[in-house]
């Protein structure tokens, strides 16, 4: 029984303030959203405590700010930018499959209306209407009458003979494109699912993985800079007041643990970006059907480090970009050992 139900079961009006609070702030009535909000408040408070202690204890920092205001201005700018990036990433959509399906169906409707309005000649065979749009494979496979537009699009991303039933999510009842997975926390299927971030309160997927990388990059830089300022304070004021030193050392120890974790996380996700992988694919490789037969050191979706980096950074405007499964010939080419010629021609980069 939740707190709200227990409170409502009590006689009298002891729950009226709580009901008013839930009425003005509906997000607090949901336990999951309430815990996510609590984590966000805790993270902001931690940032304020670490930065506030510096300006409270370190008189030399105040003097340095007066002499070199640009130093503190850059630090505070990074502090604000990190928090802004945190909330932007937290509020961004990871790219849900149901939203992509809706977008495809809307595109199908637009194509049908345009076809009828322009009265272009169309060939009909086996009940399918074929429309050719240059440079758009998605547009070519949208129209059909025997199956929905989304089903046709998803089936084109898998090898021939794949059963639709094996691709249908048992929770959402939608066909999953390659690299997508159902998130039980968000209760939706996510395109290019990476993981569900508890601190952000959202999934990390195709739509916000780039924002997430920039957030951990900014957070790592901020923690490193803050750690250097704490060490500088201890060197200059180690014998001023023991209780101040104890507080600063305690904060520095916890900050050092956070820096190690953030550095490893940043390096790990940088590796994933350069090889076009996700955390889920790397950790659950043997449990994912389309990755079981792929050798360990072969990255089936990689297009080369440079191309992977370009698509990760510059093609984020499309949250519904989907990749087809590589063919057996492409996997064989990727598994071919590197030669001196491959190194000279930068095969790993392009």
């Amino acid at each position: 029984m939740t707190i709200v139900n227990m409170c409502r079961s009590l006689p009298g009006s002891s729950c009226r303030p709580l009901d008013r609070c839930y009425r003005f702030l509906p997000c607090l009535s949901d336990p999951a959203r309430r815990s996510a909000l609590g984590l966000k408040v805790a993270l902001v408070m931690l940032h304020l405590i670490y930065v506030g202690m510096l300006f409270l204890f370190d008189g030399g920092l105040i003097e340095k700010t007066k002499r070199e205001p640009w130093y503190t201005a850059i630090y505070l700018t990074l502090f604000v930018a990190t928090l802004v990036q945190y909330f932007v990433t937290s509020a961004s959509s990871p790219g849900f499959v149901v939203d992509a399906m809706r977008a495809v169906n809307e595109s199908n409707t637009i194509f049908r209306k345009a076809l009828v309005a322009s009265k272009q000649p169309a060939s009909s065979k086996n009940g399918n209407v074929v429309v050719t749009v240059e440079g758009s494979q998605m547009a070519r496979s949208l129209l059909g009458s025997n199956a929905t537009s989304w089903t046709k699009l998803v089936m084109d991303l898998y090898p021939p003979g794949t059963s639709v039933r094996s691709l249908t999510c048992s929770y959402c009842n939608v066909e999953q494109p390659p690299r997508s997975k159902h998130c039980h926390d968000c209760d939706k299927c996510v395109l290019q699912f990476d993981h569900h971030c508890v601190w952000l309160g959202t999934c990390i997927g195709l739509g916000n993985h780039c924002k997430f990388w920039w957030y951990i990059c900014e957070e790592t830089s901020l923690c490193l800079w803050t750690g250097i300022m704490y060490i500088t304070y201890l060197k200059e004021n180690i014998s001023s007041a023991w209780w101040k030193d104890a507080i600063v050392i305690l904060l520095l120890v916890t900050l050092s643990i956070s820096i190690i974790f953030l550095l490893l996380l940043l390096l790990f996700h940088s590796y994933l970006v350069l090889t076009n992988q996700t955390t889920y694919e790397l950790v659950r490789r043997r449990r994912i059907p389309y990755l079981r037969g792929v050798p360990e050191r072969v990255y089936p979706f990689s297009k080369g480090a440079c191309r992977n980096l370009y698509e990760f950074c510059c093609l984020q405007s499309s949250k519904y970009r989907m990749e087809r499964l590589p063919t057996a010939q492409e996997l064989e080419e990727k598994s071919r050992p590197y030669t001196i010629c491959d190194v000279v021609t930068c095969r790993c980069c392009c």
Side-chain angles (χ1 to χ4, degrees):
M1 182 179 291
T2 62
I3 297 176
V4 178
N5 294 332
M6 291 175 62
C7 192
R8 286 174 178 171
S9 64
L10 295 175
S13 59
S14 57
C15 258
R16 287 180 180 176
L18 192 61
D19 289 336
R20 291 197 197 98
C21 181
Y22 290 154
R23 193 178 302 115
F24 287 108
L25 297 172
C27 62
L28 296 180
S29 60
D30 184 7
R33 297 176 67 182
R34 188 164 60 242
S35 61
L37 180 62
L39 286 173
K40 290 181 174 63
V41 173
L43 186 134
V44 172
M45 291 301 298
L46 282 174
H47 283 72
L48 293 175
I49 288 172
Y50 275 96
V51 176
M53 287 298 179
L54 276 174
F55 288 93
L56 185 63
F57 289 166
D58 194 355
L61 181 61
I62 305 298
E63 295 298 326
K64 187 174 183 179
T65 302
K66 294 178 181 178
R67 296 192 311 268
E68 303 173 350
W70 59 268
Y71 180 85
T72 307
I74 295 176
Y75 175 76
L76 292 178
T77 301
L78 178 61
F79 173 79
V80 174
T82 301
L83 290 180
V84 170
Q85 186 67 27
Y86 169 78
F87 284 104
V88 168
T89 308
S90 177
S92 61
S93 170
F96 294 115
V97 173
V98 64
D99 295 332
M101 182 176 64
R102 188 179 299 113
V104 168
N105 290 333
E106 289 175 357
S107 299
N108 181 37
T109 303
I110 293 174
F111 279 125
R112 286 183 181 278
K113 289 181 179 179
L115 183 64
V116 173
S118 60
K119 295 182 179 179
Q120 295 178 350
S123 62
S124 178
K125 186 177 182 180
N126 297 329
N128 293 328
V129 179
V130 181
V131 178
T132 302
V133 181
E134 290 185 2
S136 176
Q137 182 179 2
M138 174 180 172
R140 287 196 296 267
S141 61
L142 280 177
L143 299 179
S145 57
N146 290 340
T148 63
S149 306
W150 177 252
T151 304
K152 287 178 62 64
L153 179 61
V154 171
M155 293 302 295
D156 287 343
L157 301 175
Y158 286 92
T162 305
S163 173
V164 178
R165 183 175 299 179
S166 63
L167 309 177
T168 304
C169 175
S170 58
Y171 300 96
C172 299
N173 199 27
V174 297
E175 293 81 9
Q176 294 179 330
R179 313 189 73 184
S180 60
K181 179 188 177 296
H182 184 87
C183 175
H184 295 281
D185 296 286
C186 297
D187 198 25
K188 291 181 181 179
C189 289
V190 179
L191 293 170
Q192 244 179 77
F193 175 83
D194 190 88
H195 70 285
H196 184 89
C197 183
V198 178
W199 281 103
L200 291 169
T202 185
C203 275
I204 304 301
L206 177 65
N208 60 358
H209 198 178
C210 184
K211 296 183 180 69
F212 176 76
W213 188 92
W214 278 110
Y215 164 65
I216 57 179
C217 181
E218 293 173 13
E219 190 73 72
T220 304
S221 303
L222 179 64
C223 289
L224 282 171
W225 197 342
T226 305
I228 293 172
M229 295 171 74
Y230 268 88
I231 293 173
T232 304
Y233 167 79
L234 287 174
K235 286 182 177 180
E236 298 176 353
N237 307 274
I238 191 62
S239 59
S240 57
W242 68 269
W243 61 273
K244 287 185 179 180
D245 294 342
I247 294 176
V248 172
I249 290 174
L250 179 63
L251 291 176
L252 184 59
V253 169
T254 56
L255 185 62
S256 301
I257 297 173
S258 301
I259 290 173
I260 294 173
F261 172 76
L262 286 169
L263 278 173
L264 293 175
L265 186 65
L266 181 62
L267 291 173
F268 174 69
H269 277 274
S270 299
Y271 163 74
L272 293 179
V273 170
L274 293 175
T275 55
N276 195 8
Q277 295 185 92
T278 64
T279 303
Y280 173 70
E281 290 173 344
L282 186 65
V283 175
R284 302 286 186 179
R285 190 181 183 101
R286 295 183 178 180
R287 297 182 59 181
I288 301 175
Y290 56 81
L291 293 178
R292 286 175 187 165
V294 181
E296 288 292 332
R297 297 187 180 275
V298 175
Y299 313 117
F301 300 102
S302 177
K303 305 175 183 67
C306 295
R307 182 67 182 179
N308 293 337
L309 189 61
Y310 169 76
E311 291 187 355
F312 182 79
C313 297
C314 303
L315 296 184
Q316 289 297 316
S317 57
S318 175
K319 293 186 295 185
Y320 309 131
R321 178 169 45 89
M322 291 170 285
E323 301 178 71
R324 63 174 179 82
L325 291 180
T327 61
Q329 183 178 359
E330 291 172 338
L331 288 176
E332 184 179 355
E333 177 67 21
K334 292 177 186 292
S335 61
R336 181 170 57 86
Y338 282 89
T339 62
I340 297 178
C341 183
D342 293 330
V343 175
V344 173
T345 57
C346 298
R347 174 190 159 196
C348 62
C349 299
C350 55

